[in-house]
Amino acid sequence: TATPITQQFKEAPQFYNSPDCAVLVDEDESDGEASILCSDQAVHVAMTLDTAYIRGSMAAILSVLQHSSCPQNIAFHFVASANASFLRATISSSFPYLNFRVYPFDDSSVSRLISTSIRSALDCPLNYARSYLANLLPPCVRRVVYLDSDLVLVDDIAKLAATPLGDDSVLAAPEHCNANFTTYFTPTFWSNPSLSLTFANRKPCYFNTGVMVIDLDRWREGDYTTKIEEWMELQKRIRIYELGSLPPFLLVFAGNIVPVDHRWNQHGLGGDNFRGLCRDLHPGPVSLLHWSGKGKPWARLDANRPCPLDALWAPYDLLETPFALDS
């Protein structure tokens, strides 16, 4: 059933290309928007949209545009499983000049494969849409930056999008090789040689799937969606992990990705999955702040219990306050 969005959002300012940006389409072309949405020269960004996280999505979009040298050359590809027309209208009203398209995602295509995890929010079928981008987006979109909805950029996304993927890598993401990789899988997994040997001849490291650069052509050629689904089908029979959509990605890709500088995913700012503690930034420079974890900055700000770093998210919040609506 459709759930109308009760929140009202402000219109964002319009952002313009700097003079040295490539001109992707002729101003007179009637299909200019379609051209950008297919252009190899555009920066393609994929995100999911739903009513629960729309406020975060709006902030993420604004942050991408605000810090881009060539904001008019960014094409957004949004995946939604419900309320698509509401979500499309909400994006259009706040970003009337945005180059974007909304793609429908059929929850039932993945729901039969989902096993329960440690947090019910992780079991939402839309969390798994990132595994289906190669099928959902048109074949002309050959490379995409996937972004979660609970993050903001403070740097030019074109730098991230330009990450070299080498001769055969399918995706790039910041790796965390000091994390205890064994904890992402159950003792059942590690005690079964036919399963644990999956990582033979690989140096597997944890990576967060909320920020990824994906070569969709290579993904399609390697049929990686099927590979992920096969692990999910096994999980239904033998419990080999506890978290939601992350472990199948690790099983398929860990040890085979291009590492990206950690500045591009300062993650974990949502705090602990169980206790909701505030987190500090990791040492080093910051290009992207990511509130992965249980606590979301908008919820903590609304509850008047923000973590210190939530103040860095607040400037991108487009929500109309009741006071603004009254005036």
Side-chain angles (χ1 to χ4, degrees):
T1 56
T3 311
I5 297 166
T6 53
Q7 299 162 315
Q8 296 287 317
F9 295 95
K10 294 175 278 201
E11 184 175 325
Q14 186 177 3
F15 297 94
Y16 296 94
N17 283 355
S18 59
D20 53 351
C21 294
V23 178
L24 299 196
V25 289
D26 191 295
E27 291 291 331
D28 299 328
E29 281 187 33
S30 59
D31 65 341
E33 182 187 328
S35 301
I36 288 178
L37 288 166
C38 253
S39 170
D40 272 350
Q41 289 182 281
V43 171
H44 294 276
V45 179
M47 298 174 70
T48 58
L49 287 181
D50 66 359
T51 50
Y53 282 88
I54 185 64
R55 189 169 165 193
S57 303
M58 302 287 271
I61 297 163
L62 176 58
S63 74
V64 169
L65 296 172
Q66 188 167 318
H67 295 282
S68 170
S69 309
C70 305
Q72 293 170 289
N73 292 2
I74 301 175
F76 284 88
H77 303 268
F78 299 118
V79 179
S81 58
N83 306 304
S85 58
F86 284 111
L87 293 162
R88 187 184 292 108
T90 302
I91 298 290
S92 291
S93 64
S94 283
F95 301 99
Y97 307 101
L98 199 69
N99 304 305
F100 80 95
R101 185 172 289 160
V102 178
Y103 304 83
F105 180 65
D106 179 9
D107 280 354
S108 64
S109 64
V110 71
S111 53
R112 63 183 175 83
L113 296 170
I114 295 174
S115 308
T116 54
S117 62
I118 59 167
R119 208 169 97 228
S120 59
L122 300 175
D123 301 337
C124 163
L126 197 59
N127 269 352
Y128 293 81
R130 68 196 87 189
S131 306
Y132 295 88
L133 292 175
N135 306 351
L136 293 165
L137 273 54
C140 62
V141 181
R142 302 170 63 189
R143 172 187 281 233
V144 75
V145 179
Y146 173 81
L147 298 176
D148 271 353
S149 299
D150 52 357
L151 55 77
V152 294
L153 276 87
V154 291
D155 201 345
D156 193 336
I157 196 168
K159 298 179 195 172
L160 177 61
T163 302
L165 286 171
D167 294 333
D168 54 8
S169 293
V170 178
L171 66 87
E175 280 188 319
H176 296 271
C177 294
N178 55 351
N180 184 353
F181 191 79
T182 57
T183 61
Y184 292 96
F185 303 96
T186 62
T188 305
F189 174 86
W190 293 114
S191 62
N192 183 327
S194 66
L195 297 177
S196 57
L197 281 171
T198 300
F199 294 114
N201 306 316
R202 287 156 68 179
K203 189 186 170 223
C205 297
Y206 162 78
F207 64 93
N208 178 281
T209 52
V211 180
M212 298 183 287
V213 182
I214 306 173
D215 186 314
L216 294 177
D217 278 349
R218 291 176 185 172
W219 184 294
R220 293 170 183 126
E221 286 163 16
D223 194 14
Y224 285 98
T225 298
T226 299
K227 291 179 167 71
I228 286 172
E229 286 186 336
E230 285 168 354
W231 282 112
M232 292 173 69
E233 285 165 358
L234 180 64
Q235 162 78 351
K236 294 289 275 189
R237 300 198 302 274
I238 318 168
R239 196 157 179 88
I240 56 173
Y241 53 79
E242 301 294 349
L243 284 165
S245 61
L246 169 68
F249 259 87
L250 296 180
L251 285 159
V252 174
F253 292 111
N256 289 331
I257 73 167
V258 172
V260 175
D261 192 292
H262 288 175
R263 70 189 301 153
W264 287 104
N265 194 353
Q266 285 265 357
H267 71 290
L269 304 185
D272 191 286
N273 274 337
F274 298 106
R275 294 182 295 277
L277 302 173
C278 291
R279 292 274 179 87
D280 286 329
L281 291 172
H282 311 292
V286 181
S287 292
L288 184 152
L289 298 141
H290 186 187
W291 279 262
S292 57
K294 194 170 185 182
K296 300 307 172 194
W298 55 90
R300 295 193 297 221
L301 288 161
D302 286 355
N304 214 18
R305 291 168 56 195
C307 286
L309 291 174
D310 296 346
L312 299 176
W313 181 87
Y316 302 97
D317 187 11
L318 286 171
L319 188 73
E320 286 274 21
T321 61
F323 174 78
L325 288 173
D326 291 343
S327 61

